[in-house]
Amino acid sequence: MTDISIMPDAQPSAGGQHNLASLTYKAVSDMIRHRRLKGGQVIVEARLAEALGISRTPLREALQRLEGEGLVRKGGGRNYIVRQVDIGEYLQSLRLRLLIEPEAAVLAIPNIPRRQLIAVRREIHELLDATAYHTDAHWVSDDNLHNLIIDHCANAVMAKVLRELRATTRLFEIDRLKDRLRPDSSEHLVIIEALEHGDAQQTRFAVAAHVESLIAFAREQLE
């Protein structure tokens, strides 16, 4: 495993333990997102803690948080395993998003600050104008748009379900992810425009069309 230490030179104080756990959570989450920890892989805590340059205590805290988010699960013994999502579960999750996310977007319309919509639109245009493709930038842009809906839908239960569904869809290893850059970006821009105009019908339609596009793309992978 490559050197990915997150440990500061000085030992953290008691007050810094929480921050260290947060840094560890981000590091492990990024490893899962970038497939350095793949679906179905057993996480060997001692080895991963050594690679991160930390003790096992903050790593366990991070893994417990990731378990709560559905990214890892307990395996045999005390080990954690990166959750594996197959095409069937992926499509089922998208179909449930298709039922919930358009309504969440409509609920979010009056609550999303305009400056955040402007920032996300700018980010999408920068992504499209980039000379090279970067998977991480693609994921971040995707998160930022969908989290606007989740964070501002004013329905805690709906938000929780959507976060869990997005965790599931994120874990599915999509081939040809680069091929989704322009469809994702253009569909996201349509969603932003509908949100900006406060148009409930167009917002609902734009979000549904985006999720349906993801379903169609996934089905193409099976052909």
Side-chain angles (χ1 to χ4, degrees):
M1 189 176 291
T2 56
D3 183 12
I4 49 175
S5 175
I6 60 171
M7 187 67 179
D9 292 336
Q11 292 295 318
S13 64
Q17 289 293 339
H18 176 72
N19 184 52
L20 182 56
S22 295
L23 289 172
T24 305
Y25 161 80
K26 184 180 185 305
V28 179
S29 180
D30 285 347
M31 292 173 73
I32 293 172
R33 181 169 65 184
H34 292 294
R35 315 304 186 207
R36 292 198 292 272
L37 290 173
K38 297 181 180 297
Q41 182 175 339
V42 175
I43 297 174
V44 180
E45 289 186 17
R47 188 183 305 164
L48 183 55
E50 182 180 1
L52 294 171
I54 57 173
S55 70
R56 292 171 70 173
T57 298
L59 177 58
R60 284 175 182 155
E61 291 180 23
L63 290 172
Q64 287 169 1
R65 181 175 170 186
L66 290 165
E67 182 184 21
E69 294 178 358
L71 294 177
V72 302
R73 62 176 178 82
K74 276 288 185 64
R78 300 176 61 185
N79 289 326
Y80 284 92
I81 298 173
V82 180
R83 189 166 150 236
Q84 193 164 26
V85 176
D86 62 20
I87 183 66
E89 185 177 2
Y90 176 70
L91 287 171
Q92 289 170 10
S93 297
L94 286 175
R95 290 189 184 103
L96 186 52
R97 278 180 60 185
L98 184 58
L99 294 175
I100 300 174
E101 197 163 0
E103 299 308 315
V106 171
L107 291 174
I109 287 174
N111 305 318
I112 299 177
R114 180 176 173 78
R115 59 181 172 77
Q116 291 190 25
L117 288 172
I118 292 172
V120 172
R121 177 190 283 117
R122 183 189 311 118
E123 184 178 67
I124 292 171
H125 283 299
E126 289 173 353
L127 188 63
L128 288 170
D129 292 340
T131 55
Y133 174 77
H134 297 286
T135 301
D136 189 53
H138 188 170
W139 282 132
V140 168
S141 175
D142 188 70
D143 281 341
N144 287 344
L145 184 278
H146 289 279
N147 285 341
L148 277 182
I149 294 171
I150 293 172
D151 293 342
H152 294 92
C153 71
N155 184 315
V157 174
M158 187 177 283
K160 181 176 183 294
V161 171
L162 282 172
R163 285 193 180 94
E164 291 171 352
L165 289 172
R166 279 188 55 75
T168 298
T169 54
R170 173 59 58 85
L171 283 167
F172 181 71
E173 296 189 14
I174 302 176
D175 293 327
R176 294 167 44 208
L177 177 63
K178 184 177 179 180
D179 294 348
R180 281 297 311 177
L181 175 61
R182 292 203 173 274
D184 281 348
S185 298
S186 61
E187 291 159 14
H188 287 173
L189 289 172
V190 173
I191 293 171
I192 290 172
E193 183 176 1
L195 289 168
E196 275 190 323
H197 284 93
D199 188 324
Q201 182 175 352
Q202 284 302 313
T203 296
R204 187 180 288 110
F205 177 81
V207 174
H210 173 53
V211 179
E212 287 170 346
S213 174
L214 293 172
I215 292 171
F217 181 79
R219 284 174 172 161
E220 288 176 7
Q221 308 305 298
L222 299 175
E223 296 176 357

